[in-house]
Amino acid sequence: EAMAIASPVGIGIIDRDGHADGGNLLPGVVRSQAYLGSHRDYVVDVGQPLLIAAPASLNIPAGSNVKVRFRPERCRGVIR
């Protein structure tokens, strides 16, 4: 069995209007978001909930379809 592990700083969120080249993308739905002053925390459902930190200027409402990007240099594979 193998699984991928991603560093939290290696996970990003792209709204449906944002342009995303390349791979390492999963479709998701924003379940909630919280404005925390310096950034926003999003809970995105990609088959399981992910907590993603994003710039405060990015304001995506709950229920929006998004893409979640995993930066390959921040991912590792693990074999159990």
Side-chain angles (χ1 to χ4, degrees), residues 5 10-11 16 19 24-25 34 36 40 42 46 48-49 57-60 62 80:
I5 300 172
I11 302 173
R16 70 173 172 217
H19 183 67
N24 295 334
L25 297 170
L36 301 172
R40 291 180 193 266
Y42 287 88
V46 294
Q48 70 178 45
S57 60
L58 185 63
N59 187 6
I60 304 171
R80 293 185 0 167

Side-chain angles (χ1 to χ4, degrees), residues 12-16 18-20 25 58 60 65-69:
I13 185 170
I14 302 166
D15 68 11
R16 70 173 172 217
H19 183 67
L25 297 170
L58 185 63
I60 304 171
N65 292 316
V66 295
K67 297 172 196 147
V68 176
R69 174 181 303 248

Side-chain angles (χ1 to χ4, degrees), residues 13 26-32 42-52 64-68:
I13 185 170
L26 284 177
V29 177
V30 174
R31 295 298 177 208
S32 64
Y42 287 88
V43 175
V44 179
D45 186 349
V46 294
Q48 70 178 45
L50 287 178
L51 179 63
I52 302 170
S64 296
N65 292 316
V66 295
K67 297 172 196 147
V68 176

